Amino acid sequence: MQSLLSIVSEKSANLVETNNEFTPMTLPRKTRQNLTNYDVVELLRAEIEDSERKMTNKLYFAHAINVVLLAVFIIFYVSTESQNVRDYAAEAMQKAFEAERAVHIIDEAAGTNFLERAKKSD
């Protein structure tokens, strides 16, 4: 880790170039050889703002990745469950056809012709 003095000296060289706001705290001044507490506070504030900006960008990126992964999970889940729903529907249709065929067989075997009478009454 760099010492505070080396960070302050590096930042003081770039102070005039990096500050675009002209508030009383951030007025660009010439760099002096002897740094005051005010200069150190100014440099630390600039460093904190840089780190906050970097952290904010990382958080936005993480949230965007979370949204994309959630969308992919939902699409994957729906696509796999739709196959199961199709299987259930096919099975239900097959059972319905078997039940209808069984009713026809029973109706013909009993000789009652309930199905033909029901069709004629409609």
Side-chain angles (χ1 to χ4, degrees):
M1 249 182 98
Q2 295 178 339
S3 68
L4 182 59
L5 185 56
S6 64
I7 292 173
V8 169
S9 62
E10 287 175 15
K11 291 295 181 178
S12 64
N14 298 328
L15 182 62
V16 176
E17 298 171 8
T18 58
N19 287 336
N20 293 329
E21 298 175 353
F22 295 116
T23 60
M25 186 73 174
T26 61
L27 284 174
R29 296 181 312 219
K30 287 188 172 185
T31 306
R32 298 184 303 271
Q33 289 295 337
N34 54 347
L35 292 173
T36 62
N37 288 342
Y38 185 77
D39 294 330
V40 173
V41 167
E42 204 172 77
L43 295 172
L44 288 176
R45 188 189 59 75
E47 185 72 25
I48 290 171
E49 285 178 358
D50 282 345
S51 65
E52 285 176 350
R53 188 172 33 256
K54 288 177 185 176
M55 286 178 15
T56 303
N57 289 339
K58 287 179 184 179
L59 284 174
Y60 285 149
F61 181 74
H63 287 307
I65 292 295
N66 284 335
V67 168
V68 168
L69 289 177
L70 186 61
V72 167
F73 174 76
I74 289 172
I75 290 169
F76 177 74
Y77 182 78
V78 167
S79 66
T80 55
E81 286 301 313
S82 65
Q83 182 64 35
N84 291 343
V85 169
R86 277 186 252 146
D87 290 346
Y88 294 145
E91 186 178 334
M93 288 174 58
Q94 182 181 5
K95 287 184 179 181
F97 290 139
E98 288 174 1
E100 185 180 355
R101 189 172 58 200
V103 168
H104 279 291
I105 292 171
I106 292 171
D107 188 36
E108 289 177 5
T112 55
N113 296 325
F114 285 125
L115 295 175
E116 291 177 14
R117 281 192 239 161
K119 289 180 185 175
K120 289 178 184 176
S121 67
D122 287 338

